[in-house]
Amino acid sequence: MNLALFDLDHTLLPLDSDYEWGQFLARTGAVDAVAYAERNAAFFAQYQASTLDPVEYLEFALGTLAQFPRKQLDAWHAEFMEQIIQPAILPAARDLLQKHQDSNDLIAIITASNRFITEPIAKALGVQHLIAALPETTPSGELTGKLLGIPTSGPGKVTHTHAWLTSRGTSLDQFEKSYFYSDSQNDIPLLSIVTHPVATNPSAKLEAHAKAHGWPLLRLFDETVIQ
């Protein structure tokens, strides 16, 4: 059995689920459209520039969620899945996942986005294991607005991957092959410790790094691989 890890946004999806969720909330009138859209766009620009403070962003995102009852959030999320996410799940992404499923690989999505947003997406993609930023909840399942543990971004993805594998009684070095597919330069720490890093729909910074290190480039939604 090999290990196959996948980033989510702009890797398996041709969009950023966190950003699109914010846009969705603004369109529905759940939040002040202008103020929220401006804050959301600013955070997204910071992410693209690798200057985002993940804790600050997650506190903003989870704090927004905590303003609403879980029942309302779940209803909105069902609409979000139907309107935004399902149409964005493209055959190329499913085919890539299926390739690893057919090989009986251990598969996980590891994303900086929070579990509330991404768990239904992972299920829609047919991926059982999800490593994502974990919102604190009350015993009744309501979100408190706080983050549990460290963010699942940058070096945090390395920490969370090791912890997840340890919880399964294994470790990264026990896999003959370990893959990680990602689009972002923010994921270079995890890309650097697997045996098969794949720069997938890469940002300009990741593409340059991948070429310098001889990593393959996968244009997933163009269905081309450049060695």
Side-chain angles (χ1 to χ4, degrees):
M1 179 190 295
N2 296 319
L3 175 67
L5 303 172
F6 295 85
D7 179 45
L8 179 62
D9 300 320
H10 295 293
T11 299
L12 289 175
L13 295 176
L15 51 73
D16 185 291
S17 59
D18 237 350
Y19 177 79
E20 293 297 337
W21 169 255
Q23 297 296 95
F24 173 82
L25 288 180
R27 287 195 301 273
T28 62
V31 296
D32 180 277
V34 175
Y36 190 93
E38 288 179 356
R39 191 93 189 270
N40 202 30
F43 278 125
F44 186 56
Q46 290 170 20
Y47 173 78
Q48 291 181 312
S50 300
T51 59
L52 178 68
D53 180 334
V55 174
E56 181 184 7
Y57 173 71
L58 286 165
E59 287 179 349
F60 163 71
L62 297 177
T64 300
L65 292 174
Q67 297 174 32
F68 306 101
R70 183 62 182 261
K71 186 175 181 179
Q72 178 64 75
L73 289 172
D74 290 340
W76 280 334
H77 201 295
E79 293 180 30
F80 175 66
M81 289 293 297
E82 181 180 358
Q83 296 175 17
I84 307 300
I85 299 301
Q86 291 287 0
I89 298 177
L90 302 179
R94 290 197 182 278
D95 290 347
L96 177 60
L97 288 166
Q98 190 64 51
K99 181 182 76 171
H100 286 283
Q101 290 165 343
D102 290 344
S103 298
N104 293 316
D105 294 343
L106 177 60
I107 298 170
I109 290 172
I110 179 163
T111 174
S113 300
N114 71 73
R115 179 173 283 271
F116 168 77
I117 292 174
T118 57
E119 189 167 27
I121 301 174
K123 289 179 180 178
L125 287 165
V127 177
Q128 177 183 358
H129 302 291
L130 171 67
I131 304 169
L134 189 60
E136 181 184 69
T137 58
T138 67
S140 62
E142 299 296 321
L143 277 72
T144 69
K146 297 180 181 179
L147 172 70
L148 290 176
I150 66 171
T152 47
S153 57
K157 284 195 177 182
V158 175
T159 301
H160 279 276
T161 296
H162 285 313
W164 173 65
L165 291 173
T166 297
S167 74
R168 296 179 55 83
T170 188
S171 62
L172 191 62
D173 59 9
Q174 290 183 351
F175 294 92
E176 180 181 353
K177 295 179 181 178
S178 53
Y179 298 83
F180 180 37
Y181 297 84
S182 177
D183 70 292
S184 175
Q185 68 272 11
N186 298 312
D187 285 340
I188 287 173
L190 183 53
L191 286 162
S192 298
I193 65 170
V194 298
T195 64
H196 289 67
V198 184
T200 308
N201 318 316
S203 66
K205 289 182 180 178
L206 179 57
E207 180 169 348
H209 185 91
K211 288 179 177 178
H213 290 77
W215 297 351
L217 306 179
L218 174 60
R219 316 289 186 187
L220 185 60
F221 303 117
D222 296 336
E223 298 183 3
T224 59
V225 177
I226 304 172
Q227 294 292 343

